[in-house]
Amino acid sequence: MRLRASFATWAPFGEVGKLRLQLSTLKQRLEAWGNCRGTTVIGDPLEGVMSSVPGLALASTAPPSVALIGDVLAMLPWGRTASPWDRGSVLFRQPNGAMWPYDPSGGSKRPQVLDTFVAPPRSGKSVLANTINLGLCLSSVALGAIGAKLPLIGKVDIGDSAEGFVLLIQEALGPQRRHEAIYTRMQFAPGFEFNVFDLQVGCEYPLPLEKAFLQNFLALITLPPDQSTPFEGMNQMIGIVIDEAYRLCTDVPGASPKRYRRGVEPLIDAAIEKYGIDLHHDEPHWRDAVKALCAVEDYRLAEAAQRHTVPLLQDLIGAARTDQVKDMFGKLTIAMTAEQASDLFERYIYDVIRKFPTLNSPTRLDFGAARIIVMDLAEVAPTGSAAANRQTEMMYMLARHIIGRNFFLKPDYLPFVPEEARGFHQPRFQEIYESVKRLDYDEWHRTQGSPQVRAQAELDVREGPKHNVQLGFASQRLSDMGDAIVSQSTGRFVLRAGDDVEAEEIVQRFNLSEASADIVRHRLHGPGPAGAPFLAVLHADNAKYEQMLVNTLGPIELWALSTTPGDRALRNRLYDRIGFREALRRLARIFPGGSAEKEIEERKAKRMRRGELDARAETGVVDELANELADACGIGAKLR
């Protein structure tokens, strides 16, 4: 068939220099495409313009050539990849600038949402993950049976990459609802006590998935730091010890339920007097207070009282010494240490209590009615040794339990709840079960070598679709994810490959087409002025989509979600001086590209040439910029 092609460029009236620059760029692009050559020979300008307007003229000034119809059809613009969604709360862009809607809620097209984010540091994966979480808050999942509510989102993070996301949500919610989004830095300090044995209000024993977590957590803390396989028989003994620990806290023969003491919880003492509650006998139990508060439907205080009814880590020692455990495991000896299993178990429990006393106290870390919880583990998740890595694994598992323990509740669990609390839990279980939940893990490579943490994550992956739970895992290499997570993932976001070997591993593992393979190898160069490019491999609507996209945000979102150290330091200084909203407005006005790194580097270089030290120079530059933006002087003078 006969083939002709016309190309055009343009510029605003009077900007001749810009027109010439774009003409030069167009010429270079054409000459890089096959054997084309461009010249400056000009024919009839009017005919050239008219013939390039579709539907206006049938003639063309372009010389015709002969081509195969199959080749021509593949080149025409009607064959471009389209999004499986007609609309979405997140708008990505294709490299040519076209919008590509993305619906983070999944819906009927993605009944299972399991996302993996792969990229080296400073490639934009944290910003992309936060963009998707922000889009989830703005999507249709916020409209439920009881009106508009935030989705349930929990994120386990290393560092403060998600702090800007939480602040953005808090500012949008306003003062009355700020408590619905929380960012916290986990510490081993007063106020951060958390007891892993906490139960749902009114319950005396853990729900099935809660017991599975306790089994994995106790198996992890009773392992030597340099091992990943539990001792023979230890898992079975842990299961029996958990049952015994809870039994000893109930009101049954031979048990010792925990005594209620005035002054421990002043609000509960006041409520007992307010409601005229009679706890019946001289030495009442905390369980009696829970039942009485449930009877008057003060479930918030009943939950606070419940925390004093359950076992602590120290109670496992007594549970391990009961006749039932001794009869079953008294002859079990650990070959490696020549200890009896119960003695080894007690030794490890004592060691955990000594190192982490906040895990051996009634819970004080209370997020209340928060629906978005981001937990930063940077201060409690060290690296560098086997013991440090084991502590990090413990913190990942603990954080997952703290922020996601209610994600897997469902109405089928009501038979496990005592009668006095079912009226409270029935609508709660139903609302949580029907809500879309999302659980994100950042720096997932920190869990390598820990089968217990990976087993908990894989259990969440398998159970997630049944409970409407989305999961996201972010790490620096594909191998960090594990085969079980990668094989079941339905959203794979590659922002950059660390090297050629990593690129080939991604191509092979995801079975990418040649076009996508070329993108991974050569076209993902990290964030730039036009946004952060990435390759999305999505399984949606019973089809596989491979598309290069660009995460392009406005300056407000870029500054709020930025994780670059210099930008973050400047942003936080302005937050403290002029407030969140005004700080973002000024940063977006002065640095619309979403970063002040170039300005910081230039000023830092000048200071270093004057003899200042590197760290001092950078700190001084950030302080200087913050002062100029806050006082509207210097570079901030245009704010006036």
Side-chain angles (χ1 to χ4, degrees):
M1 61 178 298
R2 186 171 62 173
L3 174 66
R4 291 184 293 187
S6 298
F7 303 89
T9 186
W10 59 90
F13 181 76
E15 297 187 19
V16 179
K18 183 175 182 179
L19 180 62
R20 289 175 177 170
L21 177 62
Q22 294 187 174
L23 179 61
S24 176
T25 301
L26 179 61
K27 180 180 176 182
Q28 292 175 11
R29 299 281 175 86
L30 288 175
E31 291 180 348
W33 183 36
N35 296 318
C36 299
R37 292 291 181 269
T39 69
T40 57
V41 177
I42 301 174
D44 186 345
L46 180 60
E47 185 180 2
V49 171
M50 299 297 286
S51 65
S52 65
V53 180
L56 189 61
L58 298 178
S60 174
T61 58
S65 60
V66 177
L68 297 174
I69 189 170
D71 295 340
V72 173
L73 290 175
M75 295 169 60
L76 294 179
W78 58 45
R80 296 185 182 275
T81 304
S83 170
W85 295 279
D86 296 330
R87 60 182 64 87
S89 56
V90 179
L91 286 179
F92 297 125
R93 290 191 177 275
Q94 298 182 29
N96 62 3
M99 289 189 296
W100 206 88
Y102 174 77
D103 185 3
S105 67
S108 61
K109 295 183 182 294
R110 285 181 74 197
Q112 180 181 11
V113 179
L114 173 55
D115 297 332
T116 57
F117 302 86
V118 179
R122 308 269 73 85
S123 298
K125 65 178 181 293
S126 294
V127 174
L128 177 60
N130 289 329
T131 300
I132 291 176
N133 283 335
L134 182 60
L136 190 64
C137 296
L138 301 174
S139 68
S140 58
V141 303
L143 297 174
I146 57 176
K149 298 187 73 173
L150 286 173
L152 293 167
I153 298 176
K155 183 164 186 173
V156 181
D157 203 357
I158 300 290
D160 55 0
S161 63
E163 183 180 14
F165 161 67
V166 172
L167 290 173
L168 202 61
I169 295 295
Q170 288 178 339
E171 189 68 19
L173 290 173
Q176 302 300 323
R177 298 180 59 190
R178 289 177 64 87
H179 63 278
E180 294 184 26
I182 292 178
Y183 169 85
T184 184
R185 292 182 176 88
M186 189 67 176
Q187 303 174 42
F188 296 125
F192 289 86
E193 294 90 350
F194 186 83
N195 182 14
V196 296
F197 296 96
D198 281 342
L199 299 173
Q200 302 296 323
V201 177
C203 292
E204 295 184 348
Y205 290 93
L207 301 178
L209 285 177
E210 292 175 337
K211 184 175 180 181
F213 159 75
L214 290 172
Q215 186 93 23
N216 285 334
F217 186 75
L218 293 178
L220 179 65
I221 66 176
T222 54
L223 272 177
D226 56 348
Q227 290 192 19
S228 58
T229 303
F231 295 112
E232 173 62 30
M234 185 60 70
N235 276 338
Q236 292 88 340
M237 191 181 82
I238 286 172
I240 300 297
V241 169
I242 291 172
D243 293 338
E244 280 294 288
Y246 280 107
R247 186 187 69 82
L248 292 174
C249 290
T250 60
D251 191 10
V252 297
S256 53
K258 301 199 172 184
R259 304 284 185 185
Y260 169 76
R261 293 287 183 269
R262 290 186 62 85
V264 176
E265 295 283 355
L267 292 178
I268 294 177
D269 299 338
I272 289 175
E273 294 181 2
K274 172 186 174 182
Y275 295 121
I277 294 174
D278 182 9
L279 296 180
H280 303 302
H281 46 81
D282 294 335
E283 292 189 355
H285 303 143
W286 281 105
R287 178 66 58 188
D288 299 329
V290 173
K291 292 180 179 179
L293 290 169
C294 286
V296 297
E297 298 184 356
D298 194 336
Y299 296 105
R300 182 73 179 138
L301 289 179
E303 181 182 9
Q306 172 101 12
R307 295 167 182 167
H308 296 275
T309 69
V310 295
L312 300 173
L313 278 175
Q314 63 190 23
D315 297 323
L316 298 181
I317 306 299
R321 295 175 179 176
T322 59
D323 293 338
Q324 183 175 358
V325 177
K326 285 184 176 180
D327 290 344
M328 296 184 66
F329 301 96
K331 297 181 180 180
L332 178 63
T333 302
I334 304 301
M336 179 180 294
T337 62
E339 293 176 281
Q340 287 194 348
S342 58
D343 293 336
L344 181 139
F345 177 80
E346 291 181 21
R347 177 163 61 84
Y348 274 101
I349 295 299
Y350 277 128
D351 185 59
V352 171
I353 293 173
R354 179 183 61 84
K355 290 180 179 177
F356 313 110
T358 55
L359 302 184
N360 189 44
S361 299
T363 296
R364 294 289 178 190
L365 185 63
D366 187 1
F367 296 114
R371 299 183 68 83
I372 297 176
I373 303 172
V374 175
M375 187 167 289
D376 178 3
L377 303 182
E379 297 185 20
V380 297
T383 58
S385 66
N389 292 339
R390 176 52 44 81
Q391 179 177 325
T392 297
E393 294 161 7
M394 288 174 53
M395 291 302 105
Y396 262 85
M397 187 171 285
L398 180 66
R400 176 265 170 206
H401 182 65
I402 293 174
I403 64 180
R405 62 190 291 251
N406 293 329
F407 283 14
F408 296 88
L409 297 177
K410 58 182 179 179
D412 294 348
Y413 288 153
L414 281 175
F416 295 98
V417 178
E419 186 67 35
E420 63 267 16
R422 288 185 185 175
F424 168 67
H425 287 301
Q426 183 171 9
R428 178 170 170 264
F429 283 12
Q430 189 70 35
E431 190 266 330
I432 291 175
Y433 179 68
E434 294 175 353
S435 299
V436 171
K437 286 82 66 178
R438 186 173 179 91
L439 189 57
D440 276 1
Y441 297 92
D442 204 358
E443 306 294 341
W444 186 242
H445 63 276
R446 296 283 193 100
T447 66
Q448 276 190 322
S450 178
Q452 286 73 29
V453 179
R454 296 290 175 113
Q456 184 67 58
E458 290 177 17
L459 178 63
D460 292 346
V461 167
R462 296 174 186 273
E463 297 289 336
K466 292 186 262 184
H467 296 82
N468 215 9
V469 175
Q470 302 182 2
L471 289 132
F473 298 86
S475 194
Q476 299 172 10
R477 298 182 65 90
L478 179 61
S479 57
D480 298 336
M481 300 296 176
D483 288 338
I485 291 174
V486 172
S487 63
Q488 297 188 62
S489 61
T490 59
R492 299 161 177 177
F493 301 90
V494 182
L495 290 96
R496 193 165 58 180
D499 53 25
D500 293 340
V501 176
E502 174 76 3
E504 294 306 319
E505 181 182 354
I506 292 171
V507 170
Q508 296 297 324
R509 185 67 181 84
F510 291 164
N511 192 26
L512 299 179
S513 63
E514 280 301 317
S516 297
D518 181 72
I519 290 170
V520 173
R521 294 180 184 125
H522 307 297
R523 299 185 62 186
L524 300 178
H525 304 298
F534 64 94
L535 176 69
V537 182
L538 302 172
H539 294 273
D541 203 18
N542 297 318
K544 181 181 179 183
Y545 291 79
E546 298 178 11
Q547 179 66 49
M548 181 181 178
L549 299 169
V550 181
N551 185 22
T552 306
L553 299 175
I556 295 289
E557 289 85 358
L558 283 174
W559 273 108
L561 303 179
S562 176
T563 60
T564 305
D567 293 334
R568 192 167 60 229
L570 175 60
R571 180 188 65 196
N572 291 342
R573 282 168 170 78
L574 287 176
Y575 284 170
D576 294 337
R577 292 193 58 177
I578 59 178
F580 179 83
R581 186 187 298 269
E582 182 63 17
L584 289 183
R585 187 190 71 82
R586 296 191 182 192
L587 287 169
R589 175 81 182 279
I590 302 301
F591 302 105
S595 175
E597 279 294 296
K598 289 185 179 180
E599 183 69 21
I600 292 173
E601 287 297 324
E602 290 177 3
R603 296 194 182 197
K604 177 182 170 183
K606 291 179 181 179
R607 286 174 174 258
M608 292 182 67
R609 285 196 293 268
R610 294 200 299 264
E612 292 189 28
L613 297 176
D614 189 4
R616 181 179 175 184
E618 182 164 1
T619 303
V621 165
V622 174
D623 288 334
E624 182 181 62
L625 273 175
N627 290 334
E628 291 181 9
L629 291 177
D631 300 334
C633 62
I635 196 172
K638 67 174 66 175
L639 294 168
R640 296 181 178 178

